[in-house]
Amino acid sequence: MGGGNPAPPSTSLPKLSSGPVGQQIHSIYKARLGQFTSNGEYGSQNLQAVMYEGRASGQDYVKLQVYSPAGLSRPTFEDATSHEFTDTHVGQSFGPSWSTHWIKIKLQVPQNLLDKAHLEFHWDADNEGLVWTEDGEPLQGLSGGGERIEWILPKSFRDGKAHTFYIEMACNAMFGNAIGDTIQPPNPNRYFQLKTADIVAVNLEARALYVDFWIIGDAAREFPDNSWEEHAALQVCNGIMDTFINGHGTQESILKAREIARKYIGNVDSSKVYESDKDPHVYAIGHCHIDTCWLWPWAETKRKIARSWANQCDLMDRYPEHRFTCSQAQQYRWLETLYPKLYDRVKTKVKEGTFQPVGGSWVEHDTNMPSGESLVRQFLYGQRYFQSRFGERCTTFWLPDTFGYSSQLPQICRLAGMPRFFTQKLSWNNINTFPHTTFNWVALDGSQVLCHMAPDETYTASAHFGDVSRSISQHKSMDQDDTGLLVFGKGDGGGGPTFEMLEKLRRCRGLSDKTGLLPRVKMGDSVEDYFARLEKKAQNGTEFVTWYGELYLELHRGTYTSQANNKRNNRQSEIMLHDIEYLATMATLKDSSYKYPKTEIDDIWEDVLLCQFHDCLPGSCIEMCYRDSDELYARVLKAGVELLKGALSSLGLDDINSSKSELKTINTLPWYRVEITKLPGTEGDFAAITGGPGLAHVEILTKASRSTAQIRKIDDGVFEMRNDDFIVQIENGAITSLVDVTEDRDIIPKGQKANQLVIFDDKPLYWQAWDVEVYHLRSREELQPSKIYIVDDGPHMVSLCTETKISEQSWIKTTISLAASIEGQPSYISMSSEVEWHETMRFLKVEFPVDVMNTEASYETQYGIVRRPTHYNTSWDMAKFEVCCHKWADLSEAGYGVSIMNDSKYGFAVAGNVMRLSLLRAPKAPDAHADMGHHHIKYAILPHSGPLNHRTVRTARNFNHPFQLFRGPSSASDKGSSAYWVLGSIRLSGSPALILDSIKRGEDDEDVSRGELPNRKGRSIIVRIYESLGGKARGVIEVNRAVIDVKKVEKTNVLEDEGEKVAFENGKAKIELRAFEVATFRLQL
C-alpha cells in the first residue's frame, strides 16, 4: 500500500463551534404563526400594518347622499335615481329590516393616491349591497361584515376628477335579519350602521404574502407531525416572519418573504400554476348556492342573484381559470327579466364556457313531497329554459341541499337527459354515515345515474387547505376512483367564490407540485368534464358500487309536516293542474275555436314549481316567505278556476250555479268510478255518481233509495256504524272495533284504539322547523273528546262528530263518516277534521293500531312504492322512525291489509302494528307562527282483503280527486253528445297496475307553442303512464278514432323528444312497462 500520511478529508464544517444552538420547540414555533396575520394586539406590527399604502375618506373625497324609498319597497335603478337624494355620512344607521336605501357616491381620488398600483373602494355597513354605474349597469355585490367589502376602482377614476356611482343597500345581512342565531325569526327592526366608505390603496404584494403564509401555515398545522413536509412548512413560515421583522416590514422585506414562500409553493401569481402535466386528484368548481327563499323572501333573492352573479363575472375577467356553475332556471329567468344588462353579461360568459348552467330543473326543489308529474315538470321547464336561452340542456342534476332524495329520481333524470347527479346532503345524517362517495344510484325501475357526493361534505367550501385535503381523505370510494369534486364559494345566502378563494387554490396547487403530500387541485374544468371522466372509467371497466332506492336523509324529518297549509296548497294545485290539462286538451278536440291556454298553464306550473323549492315546500322558511306563497297560491287557484271554466264552457258545461238544467260531473281519473257524495250547499242531500273516464252520471238519492249505511248509539259515548262491508264501533271518538263482515275479521287489536289523536312534546336538538327527534315518541299523550254527536243518520251515509279540546287555545273537531256500500267498490271510513291550532313545540298525530303483522310497510312515492321497516333492528332501521309518504301508506300481511289515505299530509310512521299519520307541528323558528291558525284535514282507513294492490292506489286517487259538479244541457250525458265521446276518447285498458297519470298537449305543437323552441308540425297529445305496483305490466292505449284522428304513436321521454315508434292499429297501441317504469307517449294527430 505505500507509505506516507493520508490527506485529511475535505469538509466545510467549521472545526470549532460558534456557540450553542437549541432545538426548536415545535409547539411554540407553530403557535407563533398566528402573530403574523392577526388583527389582535400585534396588528400594528405585523403584516396587517402594511396591507394598505394609503386611505382617503370624508366628504372631500367620498361624498355620500341617500334616497330612502317608503316602506319596504325595492325600486328599480331608474325609479330610485329619479328621486331627490339627501346628504348622509359614515356612522349613519339605516333600516328597518328589509328596507332599501340607495346611496349616491361622488368619489374623487386624492392626488397622493393617484399613482398607487391598485385602488379599491371599501364599503361596509354589515349588510348587502350592489354597486351600480351612473348609467345603470350593475357591477358587483357587496356582502358586508368584513367580507367582500371591496370594489376595484376603474382606471378612469384616476384622472383627479369626481366620479359618481351608486350602491343599492339592502337592510339584511347575508343570512337575513335574525339577531345571533341565524335560524331564529328575523328582527323586524334591525338597523345597520355604515362603518366604512374609504378609498384604499392596496399593497398587492403584502396581500399576496398574506395568502402565501395562510396556506403554508395550514400545511404546518395540518400535515402529519412526523412528515418532513410539515417541518418544512413550519420552517418556511418562521423564515418569512423573521425576514419581515428583520426588514422592519419594508416592501423589500415583503418581496424577500415571498421568495422564501416560493421555495415551498412555487410561483403562484398566475393561472399558469395549473399548467403542469401532473395528474390532479381534486377538481375545484366555483358555486353559489342561493336559496330561492329561506331566511329572506323571494324579492330579496332576486337581488342576491344579481349581486352574486355580477361578482362571478368580475372574477372571471381577473382569473382565467375560474369556472362557476349555478343551477335553477327560475333564477336565470329573474335575472333576465329584472337585470337585462347583467343577464347579457352572464350569457356571454356562458358562451365562453366560464359561467356554466347546471341542474336542469326549475328550482332546486324538494324531492320528497312533489308529485311525480311535478318532478317531471321541474325538469321539463328547467331544461327547456336552458336550451332556449343557452342552446344546450344540462346533463347533471345538481341538488346539494335538499332533505333526502326520492327513489324514482334516477329514472326521471334519465328521461330528462341527465345521467349524472351531484349532491352532498347525506353527510348531514345524524345517526348513520352514508358509505359511498361515487356510485351508481338505481331507481325503482332499475334506471341508474352516476352520483358523486362531494367528499369535503359541503357545497359552500371556503377553498381552504383543509377543503382540498378532505376532498381525498374523506373519499369513501377510493377503490373505484381517487378523484373528488370540490365545490367552493359562499352560499345559501349567495355570494359565491371570492378572490381570496381563487388565490388560495393557486397556492394549494403550487404546494402540491413543488412540495407534495397535499392532493393536487385543478381549476378550469366543468362539472360535466368531471363526470365525463368518471363515465370513461366505467366504460373502461370500472365497476362503481350501487345504491338501490331512496337516499333517505337521517335528519329534517319534521319537514314532512311543518307548514301544513302550504303543503295542502301544493297538493291541491297539482290536482287542479292535472284536471286543467286534461279538460283543455279535450276541449281543443271538441271546439276548433278553443285555444289551448299554454301561456296560462305555464305560468301556473312555474309558480307551483317555485313553491316546491327545498325550503319553501318543506316548511323551513321565515314567515314572510309563507305570506308570499299564500298570495301566490291564491293567484294560482284563482287563475286555475278560470281556466277550468273556459275548458268546461267549450265542452258544454258550466259551474253548478249555472241556470242550465241538468247536474253533471266529470271523472278526470282514468277509470270507472262509483261513489256516494254529499251535495254541496245542502244539509243532507246525497248523490250517487257513476261513470267515466269523462262524463259521469249523477243520481240524486232520496230517503227511499236503497242504501245500507246505519248508525246507532249503544251507550254513553259509544256508537256503532255499519254498512254491508264493515261494522265500526266508536268509543269516545276512537275506533275500538272495525269488523270486516266478508272476512269476519276485526282489524283493531282488542283493547286498542284506532283514530286516536295523540300529542307529543316536540323539541329537536336544534333545527326546529326541520327536525323531529326519536325521543319525542317518549312523550305520547292521548287526547280525549269532550263532545260526541251524530251528524248524518243514513241511509246513504252516516257521520259522527267528536269535539276535542287540545288546550285552552286549541281544539279539533273530527267527523267520522261511513258511506253505504257499493257493490264491487272498496268501502272505507273517512275522517274530516277542522282544527284550531295554537300550540308551542307540540306535535299532533293520529294513530291506527291494526291486527296485521309485517316487518315492512309500504308507502306511496312518486310513480311507485317504497317499502320501509316497521322495526328498529339496526340503527338504519331506527333512523326511519318518521318517513315521507304521499296519498297512502299500507301495512299488509298474506291475505289482508290496511291502508291509511290522506288528502294533504306527508309525514307517516309504522312502528310494529301501529300506523301513525302526522297532522300538525308547532315549531317557533324560523317562523315564530308556523302552522298557527285554522286547518282542514281529511284522512281515511281502508281495510282490504288480499295483498296491497290497485284498489288502494285507485281509491287513494279518488279520495284526493273529489267529484266537482256542473250543470249542462240534458243531452250532455247522452252517449250521442260530443262532450261524452271527447272526454272519454283516450282510455287505458289492460293491467290495473298501469296508471294513466297525465294527458296534455305537446309542448311545441304548432297551435300551442310559445316559440321558445322550434315548432313541431301538426298537433299532438301527450299521455304519461306508469306501472304502480312493482311488476311488468301490459296494457292498451285506446283511442276513439271517430273523435281523434291519430296518425302515429311514439314512446318519447319527458322532454318530448323524437322517440321510438309504437305499433298503432285500429285505434289501439299495445304497451308493456317494466316494474315502476314511467313512460311518455305522443299521439300524433
Side-chain angles (χ1 to χ4, degrees):
M1 290 293 296
N5 295 322
S10 174
T11 178
S12 60
L13 179 69
K15 182 177 182 181
L16 300 177
S17 171
S18 61
V21 177
Q23 182 179 9
Q24 289 184 4
I25 307 303
H26 206 69
S27 60
I28 292 176
Y29 280 81
K30 188 181 289 188
R32 177 197 185 202
L33 303 186
Q35 295 181 355
F36 190 53
T37 55
S38 72
N39 280 313
E41 59 184 319
Y42 302 116
S44 63
Q45 301 292 313
N46 64 17
L47 186 60
Q48 293 287 354
V50 296
M51 199 68 75
Y52 305 115
E53 298 176 325
R55 184 180 294 266
S57 59
Q59 292 290 337
D60 290 343
Y61 306 109
V62 183
K63 185 176 181 180
L64 305 176
Q65 292 185 304
V66 63
Y67 162 63
S68 298
L72 303 183
S73 63
R74 294 173 171 88
T76 64
F77 175 88
E78 291 75 12
D79 182 11
T81 55
S82 69
H83 288 80
E84 183 178 349
F85 284 68
T86 59
D87 290 344
T88 189
H89 55 84
V90 173
Q92 180 72 46
S93 291
F94 299 90
S97 303
W98 312 115
S99 62
T100 297
H101 304 270
W102 281 82
I103 314 296
K104 183 177 182 180
I105 301 166
K106 187 170 288 187
L107 181 147
Q108 184 171 347
V109 179
Q111 289 294 322
N112 65 319
L113 297 183
L114 287 176
D115 61 348
K116 298 298 181 182
H118 185 81
L119 296 179
E120 296 176 349
F121 180 67
H122 286 196
W123 173 274
D124 195 353
D126 290 330
N127 58 12
E128 293 192 81
L130 179 61
V131 179
W132 293 77
T133 64
E134 189 174 16
D135 59 356
E137 181 177 354
L139 294 179
Q140 182 194 309
L142 301 167
S143 301
E147 291 187 350
R148 211 184 316 254
I149 64 170
E150 75 288 339
W151 173 53
I152 298 173
L153 292 181
K155 285 187 169 51
S156 60
F157 280 33
R158 292 171 174 269
D159 57 3
K161 299 178 182 178
H163 295 267
T164 298
F165 62 97
Y166 295 86
I167 290 179
E168 179 187 12
M169 176 194 284
C171 284
N172 54 268
M174 291 294 287
F175 286 84
N177 276 313
I179 303 296
D181 185 355
T182 57
I183 69 164
Q184 292 303 307
N187 178 354
N189 291 303
R190 187 175 178 184
Y191 281 75
F192 297 84
Q193 185 180 51
L194 177 58
K195 299 185 295 187
T196 305
D198 297 349
I199 303 169
V200 179
V202 180
N203 185 337
L204 291 180
E205 289 294 339
R207 180 180 277 178
L209 179 59
Y210 180 92
V211 187
D212 293 345
F213 192 85
W214 186 346
I215 295 302
I216 302 171
D218 280 350
R221 286 181 287 268
E222 298 191 32
F223 275 156
D225 287 345
N226 60 356
S227 66
W228 72 262
E229 292 92 346
E230 184 267 353
H231 286 266
L234 186 60
Q235 295 307 308
V236 168
C237 285
N238 276 276
I240 288 172
M241 292 181 70
D242 292 342
T243 298
F244 181 86
I245 292 168
N246 295 333
H248 306 292
T250 61
Q251 192 69 8
E252 183 182 1
S253 71
I254 292 171
L255 295 173
K256 287 181 178 179
R258 292 213 68 207
E259 284 297 324
I260 296 171
R262 289 189 184 99
K263 296 177 183 178
Y264 197 81
I265 59 174
N267 188 338
V268 295
D269 289 343
S270 77
S271 61
K272 292 181 179 180
V273 69
Y274 295 107
E275 294 178 0
S276 72
D277 58 0
K278 298 178 181 179
D279 290 336
H281 292 277
V282 179
Y283 293 84
I285 187 77
H287 179 53
C288 172
H289 181 70
I290 304 177
D291 284 316
T292 300
C293 60
W294 180 32
L295 304 177
W296 49 86
W298 288 321
E300 197 55 46
T301 301
K302 295 170 184 177
R303 301 201 294 189
K304 283 177 175 285
I305 295 163
R307 293 189 286 256
S308 302
W309 295 5
N311 291 340
Q312 301 317 305
C313 291
D314 173 65
L315 287 174
M316 289 167 197
D317 292 337
R318 295 155 55 193
Y319 292 87
E321 72 270 28
H322 184 34
R323 300 294 181 270
F324 175 75
T325 194
C326 219
S327 64
Q328 307 195 71
Q330 173 69 86
Q331 295 190 4
Y332 288 83
R333 166 71 65 77
W334 280 337
L335 191 77
E336 180 184 13
T337 303
L338 301 174
Y339 300 89
K341 291 182 180 179
L342 180 54
Y343 174 78
D344 288 342
R345 191 178 175 193
V346 165
K347 198 168 183 179
T348 298
K349 298 297 183 186
V350 171
K351 189 174 183 179
E352 294 171 355
T354 52
F355 197 115
Q356 299 164 349
V358 74
S361 57
W362 190 249
V363 295
E364 287 190 14
H365 52 91
D366 176 75
T367 76
N368 289 311
M369 290 167 283
S371 68
E373 191 62 30
S374 286
L375 294 184
V376 165
R377 300 308 175 96
Q378 286 285 352
F379 295 131
L380 176 68
Y381 283 90
Q383 289 283 52
R384 287 177 63 82
Y385 181 87
F386 289 125
Q387 183 180 2
S388 64
R389 281 11 180 230
F390 307 118
E392 291 184 354
R393 295 171 178 172
C394 302
T395 61
T396 300
F397 183 34
W398 183 273
L399 204 60
D401 192 32
T402 292
F403 312 148
Y405 304 92
S406 60
S407 51
Q408 286 286 50
L409 272 178
Q411 180 180 187
I412 302 171
C413 284
R414 295 305 295 254
L415 292 170
M418 290 183 288
R420 306 157 176 173
F421 177 50
F422 172 82
T423 186
Q424 62 81 49
K425 197 65 176 183
L426 265 64
S427 66
W428 285 45
N429 280 4
N430 71 345
I431 296 179
N432 299 286
T433 299
F434 190 77
H436 310 305
T437 294
T438 304
F439 58 97
N440 284 320
W441 180 25
V442 185
L444 294 178
D445 78 312
S447 299
Q448 66 178 5
V449 292
L450 182 57
C451 179
H452 181 73
M453 295 189 180
D456 192 33
E457 298 184 348
T458 183
Y459 53 93
T460 59
S462 297
H464 291 319
F465 176 101
D467 291 312
V468 175
S469 177
R470 286 188 293 274
S471 294
I472 295 301
S473 66
Q474 294 182 170
H475 201 299
K476 303 183 187 76
S477 303
M478 295 285 280
D479 291 342
Q480 290 79 40
D481 183 70
D482 60 358
T483 67
L485 196 62
L486 173 60
V487 180
F488 69 96
K490 300 287 183 181
D492 293 333
T498 64
F499 80 86
E500 293 99 336
M501 295 177 187
L502 296 167
E503 293 286 352
K504 283 186 287 182
L505 287 173
R506 284 182 175 180
R507 284 151 180 82
C508 286
R509 174 57 183 261
L511 189 158
S512 300
D513 286 347
K514 185 76 174 178
T515 301
L517 196 55
L518 183 68
R520 188 169 291 107
V521 65
K522 185 180 190 302
M523 288 281 291
D525 284 1
S526 67
V527 173
E528 313 300 351
D529 292 333
Y530 180 78
F531 274 100
R533 279 188 291 270
L534 294 178
E535 289 177 351
K536 185 71 173 177
K537 292 194 72 171
Q539 183 180 346
N540 292 335
T542 298
E543 292 186 335
F544 290 105
V545 298
T546 54
W547 183 273
Y548 283 78
E550 67 178 329
L551 294 173
Y552 176 85
L553 177 65
E554 296 176 0
L555 200 71
H556 295 357
R557 304 167 184 88
T559 59
Y560 312 142
T561 305
S562 297
Q563 300 288 358
N565 284 329
N566 193 57
K567 291 172 169 58
R568 181 181 179 85
N569 284 334
N570 175 72
R571 180 84 63 88
Q572 290 182 337
S573 298
E574 290 173 335
I575 291 168
M576 180 188 71
L577 279 161
H578 168 278
D579 291 354
I580 289 171
E581 290 183 326
Y582 163 65
L583 294 172
T585 298
M586 297 299 106
T588 62
L589 300 177
K590 179 181 181 294
D591 183 356
S592 60
S593 66
Y594 176 81
K595 180 173 174 55
Y596 189 80
K598 180 71 164 60
T599 299
E600 293 82 357
I601 290 174
D602 285 350
D603 289 345
I604 293 176
W605 263 119
E606 289 173 5
D607 286 343
V608 172
L609 299 178
L610 169 61
C611 291
Q612 290 172 351
F613 177 72
H614 69 252
D615 279 304
C616 185
L617 181 55
S620 50
C621 291
I622 61 172
E623 186 174 6
M624 293 177 74
C625 298
Y626 295 108
R627 288 201 294 264
D628 288 347
S629 66
D630 285 348
E631 292 177 5
L632 187 145
Y633 276 125
R635 294 197 301 270
V636 160
L637 295 172
K638 182 179 179 182
V641 167
E642 292 304 311
L643 293 183
L644 286 170
K645 286 181 179 179
L648 289 169
S649 179
S650 289
L651 290 165
L653 298 163
D654 285 294
D655 64 70
I656 197 169
N657 297 314
S658 167
S659 60
K660 292 183 179 179
S661 59
E662 195 167 296
L663 202 57
K664 310 290 182 185
T665 192
I666 297 176
N667 175 11
T668 60
L669 294 179
W671 45 72
Y672 182 82
R673 291 171 67 178
V674 182
E675 293 178 20
I676 294 176
T677 187
K678 182 179 283 191
L679 293 173
T682 66
E683 290 296 323
D685 292 340
F686 293 86
I689 300 176
T690 58
L695 279 177
H697 177 65
V698 180
E699 177 189 355
I700 306 299
L701 298 176
T702 67
K703 286 285 185 179
S705 302
R706 181 184 177 276
S707 289
T708 59
Q710 303 170 34
I711 188 169
R712 67 188 181 99
K713 184 175 181 179
I714 298 175
D715 202 345
D716 288 342
V718 183
F719 297 82
E720 181 187 272
M721 294 178 170
R722 66 167 61 209
N723 62 12
D724 291 346
D725 297 310
F726 299 127
I727 302 172
V728 186
Q729 185 166 304
I730 300 168
E731 185 173 347
N732 291 326
I735 299 172
T736 55
S737 175
L738 200 173
V739 176
D740 184 323
V741 174
T742 303
E743 297 292 324
D744 190 22
R745 173 172 181 160
D746 194 340
I747 71 165
I748 309 301
K750 189 173 182 179
Q752 297 192 38
K753 297 176 287 186
N755 193 42
Q756 175 63 59
L757 293 168
V758 288
I759 199 161
F760 300 85
D761 185 75
D762 187 17
K763 298 184 180 72
L765 296 175
Y766 177 62
W767 302 92
Q768 281 196 47
W770 294 259
D771 283 354
V772 57
E773 295 295 353
V774 67
Y775 54 75
H776 85 286
L777 296 171
R778 299 163 64 98
S779 62
R780 178 180 179 276
E781 175 187 349
E782 293 186 0
L783 298 177
Q784 302 300 327
S786 57
K787 190 177 181 181
I788 306 172
Y789 52 93
I790 294 173
V791 177
D792 295 305
D793 58 1
H796 313 300
M797 182 177 292
V798 292
S799 301
L800 184 70
C801 185
T802 65
E803 296 183 4
T804 303
K805 184 178 180 181
I806 299 171
S807 68
E808 292 300 320
Q809 297 82 30
S810 304
W811 52 263
I812 181 168
K813 184 166 66 173
T814 300
T815 301
I816 307 170
S817 299
L818 178 67
S821 299
I822 301 174
E823 186 176 354
Q825 299 296 314
S827 279
Y828 56 82
I829 301 91
S830 66
M831 276 64 72
S832 179
S833 295
E834 181 182 0
V835 190
E836 189 67 27
W837 181 249
H838 297 281
E839 298 301 294
T840 297
M841 301 178 195
R842 302 182 87 192
F843 200 153
L844 180 67
K845 306 186 183 188
V846 61
E847 291 182 343
F848 296 88
V850 295
D851 189 17
V852 175
M853 180 63 67
N854 200 324
T855 57
E856 287 187 327
S858 300
Y859 303 83
E860 188 190 41
T861 187
Q862 300 96 342
Y863 299 131
I865 299 170
V866 176
R867 293 180 173 88
R868 302 181 178 111
T870 62
H871 54 77
Y872 296 162
N873 281 2
T874 70
S875 59
W876 292 89
D877 299 327
M878 189 191 72
K880 296 180 180 179
F881 62 85
E882 181 85 3
V883 297
C884 184
C885 79
H886 281 228
K887 293 180 286 297
W888 57 263
D890 182 87
L891 184 64
S892 291
E893 62 188 25
Y896 205 86
V898 176
S899 301
I900 303 298
M901 306 181 296
N902 75 85
D903 77 334
S904 60
K905 297 300 167 186
Y906 297 92
F908 209 95
V910 180
N913 71 328
V914 178
M915 308 177 75
R916 188 182 295 120
L917 176 65
S918 297
L919 301 180
L920 291 169
R921 297 186 69 222
K924 299 303 173 187
D927 178 358
H929 304 103
D931 282 317
M932 298 299 98
H934 211 65
H935 300 269
H936 293 274
I937 306 165
K938 290 183 179 180
Y939 52 96
I941 179 169
L942 171 66
H944 57 85
S945 60
L948 170 66
N949 63 21
H950 69 279
R951 291 174 299 175
T952 290
V953 177
R954 291 187 174 189
T955 305
R957 286 224 164 195
N958 296 348
F959 189 72
N960 277 266
H961 284 73
F963 282 113
Q964 303 296 320
L965 298 176
F966 311 95
R967 289 195 179 274
S970 58
S971 62
S973 61
D974 298 334
K975 292 188 176 182
S977 74
S978 58
Y980 177 89
W981 292 108
V982 167
L983 288 168
S985 58
I986 301 174
R987 297 183 182 233
L988 178 64
S989 62
S991 170
L994 294 177
I995 306 294
L996 201 171
D997 192 52
S998 179
I999 296 177
K1000 61 184 286 291
R1001 289 296 306 276
E1003 290 293 314
D1004 296 310
D1005 287 357
E1006 287 178 321
D1007 63 326
V1008 167
S1009 171
R1010 300 175 67 178
E1012 294 177 324
L1013 291 171
N1015 290 354
R1016 290 180 56 86
K1017 289 185 178 180
R1019 301 193 301 164
S1020 68
I1021 296 173
I1022 301 296
V1023 297
R1024 193 143 22 248
I1025 299 168
Y1026 74 96
E1027 196 286 318
S1028 63
L1029 295 176
K1032 183 178 290 186
R1034 295 184 177 94
V1036 179
I1037 301 173
E1038 299 181 1
V1039 176
N1040 186 336
R1041 291 183 296 169
V1043 177
I1044 310 177
D1045 182 16
V1046 175
K1047 293 183 173 62
K1048 67 175 180 176
V1049 177
E1050 61 180 1
K1051 188 177 183 181
T1052 179
N1053 57 21
V1054 300
L1055 303 181
E1056 303 177 18
D1057 294 329
E1058 293 294 331
E1060 59 187 75
K1061 188 175 181 181
V1062 177
F1064 181 69
E1065 296 180 4
N1066 300 318
K1068 296 181 179 181
K1070 294 180 179 180
I1071 61 173
E1072 180 179 283
L1073 273 63
R1074 62 185 176 272
F1076 296 127
E1077 181 183 357
V1078 180
T1080 304
F1081 298 91
R1082 177 187 289 113
L1083 313 183
Q1084 189 68 46
L1085 308 185

